[in-house]
Amino acid sequence: EAGVVQSPRYKIIEKKQPVAFWCNPISGHNTLYWYLQNLGQGPELLIRYENEEAVDDSQLPKDRFSAERLKGVDSTLKIQPAELGDSAVYLCASSAIGQTYNEQFFGPGTRLTVL
Amino acid sequence: AQSVTQLGSHVSVSEGALVLLRCNYSSSVPPYLFWYVQYPNQGLQLLLKYTSAATLVKGINGFEAEFKKSETSFHLTKPSAHMSDAAEYFCAVSDQTGANNLFFGTGTRLTVIP
C-alpha cells in the first residue's frame, strides 16, 4: 500500500515568490492534515480537511497561506508571497474515519528554504 | 486544551543501555497519547499509542510506554538501545472528542553511542 505522497521534497525560493506544495493521501483516507514543522520543533497543525471541507483552519495564516482539496482526495497548500520565516518543513498526513482513534500517517514532508 | 512537555531535547545512551525519553501531558479531558519517531529527512512514524485501554503500551521496535495518570506522564522506554534507534522522538496528545487533532512536544533527539 502506498503511503502519503508529497512533492516536491525540497524547494528553494526567494522571498516574495509564491510556492505550492502537493499532497496525495493514502487511498480511502477521508481526513487530510497539513502541518508546519520549524527546525527543532514538533509539528503544528495548519489545517484539517474532512473530505473536501476544511473543518479546522484556525492556525492557518490566511493573509498569505491558502489550501484546497477540491475533490476530497489530493490537496495543495500555497504560500503567496513567501517570507524568510516560512522556511520550514511542511508535512501532510492522512487518516481514516470510523475508528475510535484514527491513526495519522505522515508523508516525508517538503523542506522549504526562503532566501 | 492539550499540551505535552518533553524533558530533555537531547539524550545520549550507549548501545545496549536503557532508553528513557520523558513526556508529561496536560489535558482537561481524558487524553489519547502517542509517541512518533522521525528519522532524518523522513516523515513521522507511529511507535505506539495509548487510547484508554491498557496503561502499559507496547509498540514497534521494542519500545513501550506507561500511562500514569497520577503523574500525568507517558514516558517511552526500551531496555536495550540499538544504533538504529538514533532519531528524533515526539510525544503527542489528542483529546477524545473525535477531532483527532494532535498536539506535539518539541521532540527529543536520541543519540546512540557505539
Side-chain angles (χ1 to χ4, degrees), chain B residues 10-112:
Chain B
H10 292 88
V11 171
S12 294
V13 300
S14 298
E15 189 175 15
L18 170 71
V19 176
L20 171 61
L21 304 182
R22 299 178 185 275
C23 173
N24 288 88
Y25 70 91
S26 174
S27 178
S28 56
V29 297
Y32 291 153
L33 292 159
F34 312 85
W35 276 99
Y36 281 84
V37 60
Q38 186 175 34
Y39 297 101
N41 299 316
Q42 295 187 27
L44 280 72
Q45 179 184 8
L46 182 67
L47 276 177
L48 49 81
K49 61 180 182 283
Y50 165 76
T51 56
S52 71
T55 56
L56 182 61
V57 181
K58 295 186 183 298
I60 62 172
N61 301 339
F63 284 93
E64 63 181 38
E66 186 172 7
F67 173 72
K68 292 187 176 180
K69 184 178 179 180
S70 61
E71 299 178 7
T72 61
S73 69
F74 191 58
H75 302 331
L76 181 71
T77 61
K78 182 174 180 178
S80 177
H82 191 273
M83 295 299 294
S84 61
D85 295 327
E88 188 91 19
Y89 291 81
F90 293 94
C91 182
V93 64
S94 175
D95 61 42
Q96 296 186 16
T97 65
N100 294 324
N101 285 351
L102 288 175
F103 299 90
F104 286 87
T106 53
T108 298
R109 181 171 298 278
L110 176 66
T111 300
V112 182

Side-chain angles (χ1 to χ4, degrees), chain A residues 31-73:
Chain A
T31 307
L32 184 147
Y33 313 77
W34 282 103
Y35 288 88
L36 165 69
Q37 185 177 20
N38 285 306
L39 185 65
Q41 300 294 315
E44 300 173 15
L45 181 70
L46 288 172
I47 188 168
R48 174 168 63 95
Y49 282 93
E50 289 184 8
N51 298 307
E52 59 274 2
E53 181 183 0
V55 296
D56 186 350
D57 62 356
S58 57
Q59 301 304 310
L60 188 73
K62 298 180 183 63
D63 57 336
R64 298 184 300 107
F65 286 66
S66 64
E68 61 183 16
R69 193 184 185 199
L70 295 177
K71 297 183 179 179
V73 180

Side-chain angles (χ1 to χ4, degrees), chain A residues 8-48:
Chain A
R9 291 293 313 277
Y10 304 91
K11 188 74 176 178
I12 301 174
I13 62 172
E14 294 188 347
K15 63 181 180 181
K16 300 185 181 180
Q17 295 300 306
V19 64
F21 315 125
W22 177 79
C23 172
N24 190 36
I26 292 173
S27 178
H29 281 192
N30 308 80
T31 307
L32 184 147
Y33 313 77
W34 282 103
Y35 288 88
L36 165 69
Q37 185 177 20
N38 285 306
L39 185 65
Q41 300 294 315
E44 300 173 15
L45 181 70
L46 288 172
I47 188 168
R48 174 168 63 95

